[in-house]
């Protein structure tokens, strides 16, 4: 980290009060050292960088452009990569030039760099190493032929599609230790590439998804904070009292309290809050703590209830078994997908599904459709092992398997996917987790489903499970609700003073 600190200390500030002649040199703050030191300093056994993808989300005015400009030059000219192609990337080239122009001014203000680096109208280059640093906009005529060593992606929240990010990522394939470094503030488009990327990063931070090459840090206020309380503002503004001025925040906060439009802007740009985002319904730290080894054979004497959420192709099929004992709920999980879909890698999450299947957390049935016969036989095998009371199921695509199971003498009950049916069980799961009375088998597929659940209360304090993004799955959680929505379960939980029906 000391090398990085010394490198930045040789660069001049190019804007604001510190840029007045003679320009002061850059001094990295502790939070900046943490990110840069982790990303640039953490190495693999072969000596290359551990992290290849970085997502940093922080409020405006926290010196993003200054750090990005210095980082871009470091990756282009100090990283030991021959012929390095480094880009400052944004929606439009004019936006991309903000970071690049800061880098250009740094070169012009540093004699040692000026003698080494050629400064052109839209290009910085080192003729000795054939390396360059350029601005790149999604509005460019063509992005074909890129051979990206590194890219600084500015304000990803403004990208309406994921085309630019995908182009940059795929263009790193020939490089030894490429780096995509995203620096952005929050936005409001929950269907966009930025929120999708943010969701992926939060799952890594929560331990739901394992990706050893991705680094993420998000500076924002907590869900329980009063946004008008200036004591919490530093959480979204780690550069408070340096590049972020408290008086300026106070003035904007006054306007935010006066009008809804100003409030949305203040929350998004100065406190880094996604203003249209539904909050995750579950605390994934509590979910992780609830994991334990669950042996169905050891629960054979306790009443068992099953929940089914079926799918034929792209969605998960989930079979969730629930046992009740002494006011506690024990959950065992099974998930199914068609093998051909997973191997084809049709969706980004398929790589994780393949890994989960290899680890035994997910069953792949042969062909391009889920084989309900496999699920049916798994249910029959479980019924021979435990005291299976009832099977609650979502009626979608369930007609055939329900008929077959009914003919086997098993009791099945349709659970309509309505607020009336699911609100109570959903709140019960939250309360059970909070009180340490829910235990599960630690299946990462189930953790992923639970982490995808968002909800907001209506006027009657009802909740209903929804996905945090269209491509994400919550099938395991809805199957759990189907198991818990049965009247017999309600009665047992009521005796333990756990309210299921609102």
């Amino acid at each position: 980290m000391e090398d990085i600190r010394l490198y930045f200390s040789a660069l001049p500030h190019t804007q604001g009060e510190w840029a007045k002649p003679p320009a002061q040199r850059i001094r990295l703050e502790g939070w900046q050292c943490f990110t840069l030191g982790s990303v640039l300093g953490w190495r693999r056994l072969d000596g290359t960088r551990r992290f290849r993808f970085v997502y940093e989300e922080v409020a405006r005015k926290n010196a993003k452009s200054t750090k990005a400009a210095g980082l871009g030059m470091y990756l282009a000219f100090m990283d030991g990569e021959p012929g390095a192609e480094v880009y400052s990337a944004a929606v439009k080239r004019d936006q991309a030039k903000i970071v690049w122009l800061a880098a250009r001014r740094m070169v012009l203000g540093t004699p040692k760099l000026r003698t080494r680096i050629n400064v052109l109208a839209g290009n910085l280059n080192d003729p000795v190493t054939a390396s360059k640093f350029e601005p790149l906009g999604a509005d460019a005529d063509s992005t074909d032929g890129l051979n990206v060593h590194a890219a600084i992606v500015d304000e990803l929240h403004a990208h309406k599609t994921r085309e630019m990010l995908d182009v940059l990522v795929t263009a790193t394939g020939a490089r030894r230790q490429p780096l995509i470094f995203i620096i952005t503030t929050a936005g409001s488009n929950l269907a966009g590439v930025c929120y999708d990327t943010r969701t992926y990063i939060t799952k890594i931070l929560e331990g739901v998804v394992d990706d050893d090459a991705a680094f993420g840090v998000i500076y924002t206020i907590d869900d329980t904070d009063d946004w008008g309380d200036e004591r919490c503002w530093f959480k979204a503004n780690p550069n408070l009292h340096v590049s972020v001025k408290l008086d300026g925040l106070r003035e904007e906060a006054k306007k935010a309290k006066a009008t809804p439009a100003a409030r949305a802007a203040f929350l998004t740009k100065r406190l880094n809050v996604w203003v249209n985002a539904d909050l995750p319904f579950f605390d994934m730290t509590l979910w992780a703590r609830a994991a334990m080894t669950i042996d169905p054979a050891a629960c054979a004497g306790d009443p068992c209830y099953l929940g089914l959420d079926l799918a034929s192709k792209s969605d998960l099929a989930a079979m969730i078994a629930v046992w009740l004992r002494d006011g506690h709920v024990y959950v065992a999980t099974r998930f199914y997908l068609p093998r051909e879909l997973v191997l084809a890698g049709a969706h980004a999450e398929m790589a994780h599904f393949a890994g989960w299947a290899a680890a035994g957390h997910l069953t792949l049935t042969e062909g391009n459709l889920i084989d309900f016969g496999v699920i049916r036989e798994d249910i029959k095998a479980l019924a021979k092992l435990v005291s299976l009371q009832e099977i609650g199921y979502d009626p979608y695509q369930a007609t055939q398997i329900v008929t077959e199971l009914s003919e086997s003498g098993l009791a099945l009950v349709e659970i309509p996917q309505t607020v009336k049916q699911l609100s109570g069980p959903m709140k019960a799961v939250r309360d059970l987790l909070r009180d340490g009375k829910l235990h599960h088998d630690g299946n990462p597929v189930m953790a992923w489903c639970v982490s995808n659940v968002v909800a907001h209360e209506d006027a009657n304090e009802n909740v209903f499970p929804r996905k945090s993004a269209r491509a994400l799955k919550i099938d395991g959680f809805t199957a759990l609700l189907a198991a818990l929505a049965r009247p017999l379960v309600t009665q047992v939980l009521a005796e333990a003073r756990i309210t299921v029906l609102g």
Side-chain angles (χ1 to χ4, degrees):
M1 181 60 220
E2 192 58 31
D3 290 345
I4 305 300
R5 194 196 303 269
L6 288 173
Y7 160 73
F8 270 89
S9 69
L11 302 177
H13 281 280
T14 62
Q15 288 182 312
E17 59 186 290
W18 297 294
K20 295 178 181 178
Q24 295 183 35
R25 301 290 145 168
I26 296 171
R27 182 177 67 86
L28 293 176
E29 299 297 320
W31 70 280
Q32 296 169 319
C33 290
F34 167 71
T35 298
L36 292 173
S38 298
V39 172
L40 299 178
W42 205 328
R43 298 284 165 166
R44 305 182 183 193
L45 291 177
D46 64 2
T48 60
R49 276 190 295 272
R50 169 188 171 179
F51 296 114
R52 308 297 170 86
F53 187 92
V54 178
Y55 180 89
E56 183 179 77
E57 188 182 287
V58 65
R60 280 186 177 175
K61 306 299 183 183
N62 280 273
K64 293 195 301 296
S65 296
T66 298
K67 181 172 68 177
L71 177 61
M73 285 201 300
Y74 179 90
L75 293 167
F77 308 121
M78 314 292 175
D79 205 25
E81 180 76 8
E85 291 184 18
V86 178
Y87 297 95
S88 168
V91 175
K92 294 187 178 297
R93 193 169 186 272
D94 286 346
Q95 172 70 29
K97 288 184 73 173
I98 293 175
V99 169
W100 182 83
L101 285 172
R104 183 178 188 272
R105 289 191 293 268
M106 288 177 183
V107 172
L108 294 175
T110 310
K112 288 185 177 180
L113 291 179
R114 185 69 186 89
T115 60
R116 174 184 172 184
I117 298 172
N118 291 330
V119 179
L120 304 178
N123 169 278
L124 301 174
N125 71 82
D126 181 349
V128 175
T129 63
S131 299
K132 66 179 182 179
F133 182 29
E134 294 181 348
L136 180 68
D139 57 343
D141 291 337
S142 176
T143 52
D144 295 336
L146 298 179
N147 185 7
V148 177
H149 170 58
I152 312 297
V153 183
D154 191 24
E155 300 296 13
L156 185 63
H157 72 89
H159 290 237
K160 294 181 179 180
T161 72
R162 61 176 307 113
E163 181 179 358
M164 169 63 90
L165 183 60
D166 287 345
V167 165
L168 293 171
V169 170
T170 56
T172 63
R175 293 294 181 172
R176 192 170 52 95
Q177 53 172 3
L179 182 63
I180 303 296
F181 200 113
I182 297 167
I183 304 182
T184 187
T185 56
S188 59
N189 180 11
L190 304 190
V193 59
C194 190
Y195 194 73
D196 183 55
T197 304
R198 184 191 201 271
T199 299
Y200 180 71
I201 291 296
T202 57
K203 293 186 187 306
I204 295 173
L205 296 174
E206 291 169 346
V208 176
V209 170
D210 184 18
D211 187 341
D212 197 50
F215 177 93
V217 58
I218 298 171
Y219 295 94
T220 184
I221 61 174
D222 289 311
D223 300 338
T224 55
D225 284 335
D226 174 5
W227 64 266
D229 184 351
E230 64 184 48
R231 290 175 297 180
C232 72
W233 293 349
F234 77 93
K235 296 178 182 180
N237 294 276
N239 236 34
L240 187 62
H241 304 304
V242 183
S243 61
V244 179
K245 306 304 181 185
L246 183 58
D247 287 345
L249 283 177
R250 285 171 174 165
E251 288 299 318
E252 292 187 43
K254 288 181 182 179
K255 298 176 183 177
K257 292 174 181 177
T259 66
R263 185 178 309 131
F266 182 73
L267 287 170
T268 305
K269 303 308 177 188
R270 304 312 302 271
L271 296 184
N272 206 41
V273 175
W274 288 77
V275 293
N276 287 340
D278 282 324
L279 299 177
F281 192 73
F282 294 102
D283 183 338
M284 294 309 296
T285 301
L286 293 180
W287 183 266
R289 290 175 186 168
M292 63 180 293
T293 299
I294 295 180
D295 181 5
C299 301
D302 300 307
C304 177
Y305 301 85
L306 210 61
L308 289 179
D309 191 305
L310 301 174
S312 62
K313 188 173 182 180
S314 60
D315 280 337
L316 284 165
M319 181 181 82
I320 308 298
V322 170
W323 290 269
L324 309 175
R325 180 193 296 168
D326 300 328
H328 288 246
V329 175
Y330 299 84
V331 180
T333 63
R334 284 194 181 179
F335 293 92
Y336 306 83
L337 272 175
R339 185 180 301 276
E340 288 186 10
L341 178 70
V342 174
L343 296 182
H347 304 287
E349 68 268 20
M350 291 305 163
H352 298 294
F353 287 149
W356 287 330
H361 302 303
L362 171 66
T363 298
L364 301 182
T365 68
E366 298 305 322
N368 59 2
L369 296 175
I370 294 175
D371 185 350
F372 285 2
V374 174
I375 302 175
R376 182 188 65 239
E377 294 308 311
D378 282 350
I379 293 173
K380 288 182 178 180
L382 183 66
K384 294 178 181 179
L385 183 64
V386 303
S387 178
L388 184 56
Q389 306 295 304
E390 289 181 332
I391 302 172
Y393 66 93
D394 175 354
Y396 181 68
Q397 297 199 32
T399 302
Q400 179 181 348
I401 193 171
V402 166
T403 300
E404 293 170 347
L405 291 173
S406 296
E407 292 173 350
S408 300
L410 297 174
L412 291 102
V413 182
E414 179 179 319
I415 306 297
Q417 302 296 288
T418 64
V419 171
K420 181 179 179 180
Q421 286 288 336
L422 301 186
S423 178
M426 186 167 172
K427 289 189 284 187
V429 174
R430 178 192 60 193
D431 295 344
L432 287 161
L433 268 180
R434 179 198 60 205
D435 298 336
K437 293 183 176 181
L438 185 140
H439 316 276
H440 59 82
D441 59 11
N443 190 326
V445 185
M446 185 65 169
W448 182 66
C449 290
V450 172
S451 74
N452 293 336
V453 175
V454 297
H456 64 269
E457 292 190 352
D458 63 19
N460 297 316
E461 299 184 348
N462 294 311
V463 293
F464 187 83
R466 293 177 175 83
K467 303 175 184 180
S468 56
R470 186 184 308 171
L472 302 178
K473 316 292 185 191
I474 62 172
D475 309 87
F477 180 70
T478 54
L480 175 60
L481 297 187
L484 290 176
R486 297 303 307 127
L488 287 176
V489 181
T490 301
Q491 179 181 346
V492 174
L493 292 178
E495 293 172 357
R497 297 183 179 179
I498 297 168
T499 302
V500 175
L501 296 182

